Amino acid sequence: MLDLLKPAVFVLLSWIGLFFVFSGVGLLGFRCVRRLAESVPFPRRMFLAFWAGWALTLAVLQIWHVFFAVNWVALTFVWLLGLAGLGLHWRDVWALLQAEWRGNGRVWLAVAVLGLWFGNLATAGTTNYDDSLYRIQSMLWAKSYPIVPGLGNVHGRLAFNSTYHLYAAMLDAGEWTGRALHLAGGLLATVLMAHSVRRMAALFGGRGQGRAYHLFYALLLAPLVVEVSGGNIATLAPSVPVFVLASILLGELLGFLVRVDEMASAEVRLWLLWFALIACAGVVVERSFAVFGIGVFVVALAIWLARRPRPAWREALGTLTWGCVPIALLIAPWMARGIILSGYPVYPNVFGGVNVPWRVPRALVISEANWLRSWVRTPQAFWGDVLADMSWVRTWADSLPADVPRAVGVAFVAGLAGLLAPGFAGPARRKRLWPILLPPIAALVAWFLTVPNPRLAMGAFWGLAAGALTATVARFVSGDDATGESDAEGRRQSGFLLLVVLAFFLFLSPIRSPYLVAPGSDAGFSPMPRPAYEGRVTNAGFVVYVPKEGDRCGSAPLPCAHSFRPNLGSVVVAGRYGFMLDDSIRYLDINGTVGSPIADGVSAIYQSGWHSPDPGTGIQWMRETSRILMYVEKPTTLYVSLTPVSMHVRGKFGYSGRLRVLVNGKEVGTFDMRKDVFTEVALPLAQDFNLVTFQYLGGSFVPKGSVPGSMDERVLGIGFYPLQFRVGAQ
């Protein structure tokens, strides 16, 4: 039992220490906007300070990493900042701790018990594939060296530029060396858990629509347990911080909407500054967070403007200016880091690429982005097939975890009930909580259209469910002006809210196995994975380590890559070594595909729906639909000559048919095909990748007799003599 408890206590105590450090950093940051910060009572300010301090630490680490490695020195510097902030407010902090212990001691004991359980779960080993694929390597690079120009040329995902890995590298020091993944995400989850438990306790003693704020966080406790249980807390994946930041932003937006009418201008400015800061922190951790974060800020700003007695545009402009400060603190350095790592400010997106010697080749950037989009839709399949149409939707929907339809179901039922059921509060009070649903709805639409990975959207899903349920339940409790509410009525409403929270918890059944984690081999912790690897020498003469099996590097020595690129070379930038790819090999895909030249400046990298050419004749048969993925450096018109040898006509071989040709989903034309008759088709190819689709309108069949060459018993549509290509001007 002691072996089980000791590492959990160590984790929990470390989290408590880091909570106060980041809170101190936040309090120190609030000193820069002292007039605004003092408009918020200190207990509330202390909670906001932790999240602000964590975000400001990310800003500090981004600048730090330009000049130094993120190691124990950076951790010491952040600790000093935190202690300075706490020292300047030590009386307020001490008074708050005394008041909380006297008034809510039992609540904090419950938090401690849950914290120990979270700490035990955090000792598990990572089960996340991408941790071993690149995240641990990214953390090790940040810990070992200042930012490395062109690091994306070693492994494209090392250029993803998540500042969460800088944060993990900072924690990977001292007794926590090699154990940062046990500490990083759990801290944020535990702070949210403590706040949720504290709000649940307040829920049954509160009055009015202050209850809505408490209810929202009480409901989020169950989804939070879902997120951290089942081995999901000990990871460097952004799923946990994204979930926590989305929950916090939405919960505080709800509190803002409830109280905005009572706020002075200084308090509104502080809140909008805080919303913008946390939103920007979410973006630099995971870029897909942008829509959610922007949505929260826009909703808060719009609600405040809408409730002003009259438009005060000068005041609104000043408030908006405060909201732009976090962009300068977090987003601008983050984009500059992206250029250093890959040559692109928002890798893997080619927008804004800078012509620097270490820039990752454009084809590899596009390939990386397309693999991200396709893998979550249909794993293993090549992205050219997956992204060609919407046929992936059914299998993708079937693969979604059960929590996604549960969240959608709760949101739908609660939203419908809120629209149709009568409430007890006045009409103006009933409707004003619904705007909190706009950010998660907008985020989920953008998520579906880009990279629909459910792990990165659970904050939006559960925020939508808890927000819809809270907005509906708020219609059945007293309004803000609840001073006339009797004790009996208060108890009845508290009982009703208790039933809502319990029903939600039972519906989710959030506790997933393993319920407890057995002690690992590293002083009770499971060590970081380190698969077998081997060194290979590049053309430039230095060693790159690659896994002997699979594509995961884990904690292998630097540099390690999932695939070996012999043309990886070095570049010197301002006296600092970086990486570049020379022109001796022209990769067109992150998995090492070089491409086959088919015409001047045109390469084909993939084909589907085509059978192998017949030996000796070169005749190539296609099914009903076939594709060729081509890559061009600049817009080009490519002419392809098609000469059919035979085709399917009503269950047998015939001499005529029709062929539809599409480029990137747009129809080029439908052409009459006849045996041995030459047809030339002009293909307008845009810059980069182009998917050319051939659809034989006669369908495919399996011939009953033998087919010439090696085509026996194969599905056939139309066969061509060897295709001929030539380039024209566009």
Side-chain angles (χ1 to χ4, degrees):
M1 184 65 181
L2 184 61
D3 291 339
L4 193 70
L5 193 61
K6 185 178 177 181
V9 171
F10 183 38
V11 172
L12 181 58
L13 292 177
S14 299
W15 284 340
I16 293 172
L18 288 171
F19 169 80
F20 284 105
V21 167
F22 290 130
S23 298
V25 174
L27 291 172
L28 196 62
F30 282 160
R31 301 278 294 190
C32 299
V33 287
R34 188 168 184 174
R35 186 178 64 85
L36 304 184
E38 289 178 348
S39 64
V40 177
F42 187 80
R44 190 84 174 128
R45 198 188 324 159
M46 184 71 174
F47 176 70
L48 300 182
F50 168 78
W51 302 103
W54 188 79
L56 290 172
T57 299
L58 297 185
V60 169
L61 293 179
Q62 287 192 117
I63 303 301
W64 181 281
H65 193 219
V66 173
F67 304 101
F68 311 106
V70 181
N71 50 27
W72 67 270
V73 181
L75 179 62
T76 302
F77 179 71
V78 172
W79 269 83
L80 292 175
L81 291 178
L83 292 176
L86 291 174
L88 292 172
H89 299 83
W90 71 269
R91 288 188 178 86
D92 293 326
V93 172
W94 181 246
L96 176 62
L97 292 175
Q98 289 180 311
E100 282 294 315
W101 181 250
R102 286 195 300 265
N104 302 287
R106 294 180 180 179
V107 174
W108 290 109
L109 287 176
V111 169
V113 172
L114 281 175
L116 283 174
W117 181 49
F118 277 29
N120 171 260
L121 295 178
T123 63
T126 178
T127 58
N128 190 289
Y129 193 95
D130 284 359
D131 280 351
S132 294
L133 181 64
Y134 74 96
R135 293 185 187 121
I136 293 174
Q137 285 284 301
S138 182
M139 179 191 74
L140 293 177
W141 277 105
K143 178 183 177 181
S144 304
Y145 302 100
I147 190 168
V148 177
L151 188 58
N153 289 303
V154 177
H155 189 316
R157 297 199 173 192
L158 295 177
F160 276 9
N161 191 21
S162 173
T163 55
Y164 191 62
H165 300 150
L166 300 183
Y167 159 66
M170 180 189 72
L171 299 181
D172 199 64
E175 288 296 318
W176 282 103
T177 299
R179 303 170 182 168
L181 58 82
H182 304 290
L183 194 63
L187 169 65
L188 306 182
T190 302
V191 174
L192 176 59
M193 176 272 292
H195 191 62
S196 295
V197 172
R198 181 70 177 82
R199 292 307 103 204
M200 185 181 293
L203 176 65
F204 308 117
R207 292 179 177 238
Q209 279 202 358
R211 287 187 178 125
Y213 176 79
H214 304 321
L215 176 62
F216 179 83
Y217 278 111
L219 291 172
L220 279 179
L221 185 59
L224 176 62
V225 172
V226 170
E227 286 298 306
V228 302
S229 61
N232 295 325
I233 190 173
T235 177
L236 294 179
S239 53
V240 171
V242 163
F243 171 85
V244 172
L245 294 178
S247 302
I248 289 294
L249 276 175
L250 214 56
E252 297 312 305
L253 176 63
L254 188 150
F256 179 83
L257 297 183
V258 168
R259 293 189 53 252
V260 65
D261 293 337
E262 309 163 7
M263 291 182 181
S265 177
E267 186 175 359
V268 170
R269 291 189 177 192
L270 180 70
W271 274 105
L272 291 175
L273 174 63
W274 186 86
F275 284 136
L277 181 64
I278 305 306
C280 289
V283 172
V284 300
V285 166
E286 168 54 49
R287 58 191 173 280
S288 63
F289 193 79
V291 175
F292 191 100
I294 293 172
V296 168
F297 181 81
V298 169
V299 168
L301 181 64
I303 292 295
W304 175 65
L305 290 175
R307 294 183 183 179
R308 300 289 294 166
R310 59 184 179 182
W313 297 112
R314 181 173 298 179
E315 183 181 5
L317 184 60
T319 302
L320 186 61
T321 302
W322 278 108
C324 292
V325 171
I327 296 176
L329 290 176
L330 282 161
I331 302 299
W334 176 71
M335 296 177 74
R337 283 175 46 81
I339 293 173
I340 296 173
L341 290 170
S342 65
Y344 303 89
V346 192
Y347 182 93
N349 190 306
V350 296
F351 172 78
V354 179
N355 188 21
V356 290
W358 62 85
R359 186 171 70 175
V360 177
R362 184 182 176 93
L364 290 181
V365 180
I366 299 171
S367 169
E368 188 83 66
N370 287 337
W371 273 114
L372 281 177
R373 294 169 56 211
S374 69
W375 191 268
V376 297
R377 291 167 164 87
T378 308
Q380 307 296 339
F382 185 71
W383 61 261
D385 284 336
V386 177
L387 302 179
D389 51 43
M390 297 293 288
S391 60
W392 55 269
V393 173
R394 179 66 181 271
T395 55
W396 168 82
D398 291 340
S399 69
L400 290 174
D403 292 320
V404 171
R406 287 176 182 170
V408 173
V410 170
F412 178 78
V413 172
L416 193 63
L419 291 174
L420 300 179
F424 301 113
R429 300 300 187 191
R430 294 176 196 168
K431 298 178 181 178
R432 72 180 189 177
L433 299 184
W434 293 106
I436 69 168
L437 304 185
L438 295 178
I441 290 173
L444 289 175
V445 171
W447 165 82
F448 178 79
L449 296 175
T450 53
V451 183
N453 183 349
R455 296 295 305 157
L456 297 179
M458 296 314 299
F461 275 116
W462 287 122
L464 182 64
L469 191 55
T470 299
T472 296
V473 170
R475 301 186 63 183
F476 299 92
V477 297
S478 303
D480 286 346
D481 187 12
T483 54
E485 179 182 279
S486 65
D487 291 340
E489 177 64 22
R491 286 193 296 270
R492 281 195 296 270
Q493 294 200 11
S494 295
F496 169 65
L497 296 176
L498 174 63
L499 289 176
V500 171
V501 174
L502 286 177
F504 188 64
F505 194 91
L506 294 174
F507 175 70
L508 293 189
S509 302
I511 302 178
R512 314 288 164 86
S513 63
Y515 307 113
L516 289 175
V517 175
S521 59
D522 180 20
F525 296 90
S526 296
M528 288 194 298
R530 193 181 183 111
Y533 58 87
E534 61 183 0
R536 300 182 64 179
V537 181
T538 68
N539 297 338
F542 59 84
V543 176
V544 174
Y545 299 98
V546 293
K548 288 186 175 181
E549 295 182 3
D551 58 359
R552 293 183 290 177
C553 288
S555 58
L558 306 177
C560 183
H562 70 300
S563 62
F564 179 65
R565 294 173 178 170
N567 64 329
L568 182 67
S570 61
V571 61
V572 179
V573 183
R576 183 179 303 176
Y577 281 95
F579 297 98
M580 63 178 293
L581 294 174
D582 65 38
D583 296 332
S584 61
I585 302 176
R586 190 160 167 262
Y587 293 107
L588 297 181
D589 186 72
I590 60 173
N591 293 319
T593 303
V594 176
S596 303
I598 59 176
D600 185 24
V602 183
S603 298
I605 75 165
Y606 180 76
Q607 298 181 8
S608 66
W610 297 88
H611 296 299
S612 299
D614 288 351
T617 66
I619 294 173
Q620 192 166 10
W621 286 84
M622 58 172 273
R623 301 183 182 92
E624 179 180 354
T625 299
S626 67
R627 300 183 176 97
I628 302 177
L629 185 66
M630 303 179 183
Y631 183 81
V632 293
E633 294 283 353
K634 59 183 179 180
T636 303
T637 299
L638 180 69
Y639 293 91
V640 55
S641 299
L642 305 168
T643 306
V645 65
S646 188
M647 62 202 78
H648 169 228
V649 180
R650 299 185 181 91
K652 59 182 180 180
F653 290 108
Y655 304 103
S656 64
R658 291 174 64 79
L659 184 74
R660 177 183 293 129
V661 181
L662 304 93
V663 176
N664 299 324
K666 296 181 179 180
E667 184 171 345
V668 173
T670 301
F671 305 90
D672 293 323
M673 296 282 110
R674 295 189 63 83
K675 176 180 169 59
D676 296 329
V677 176
F678 159 85
T679 301
E680 188 172 64
V681 178
L683 306 176
L685 304 182
Q687 185 182 16
D688 304 323
F689 290 98
N690 295 264
L691 190 64
V692 181
T693 304
F694 300 93
Q695 295 178 345
Y696 177 60
L697 303 184
S700 299
F701 79 128
V702 179
K704 294 182 179 179
S706 65
V707 181
S710 60
M711 299 293 103
D712 292 348
E713 302 301 319
R714 303 187 72 176
V715 178
L716 307 176
I718 182 171
F720 294 104
Y721 291 108
L723 276 59
Q724 302 294 323
F725 299 94
R726 70 178 180 87
V727 173
Q730 177 166 313

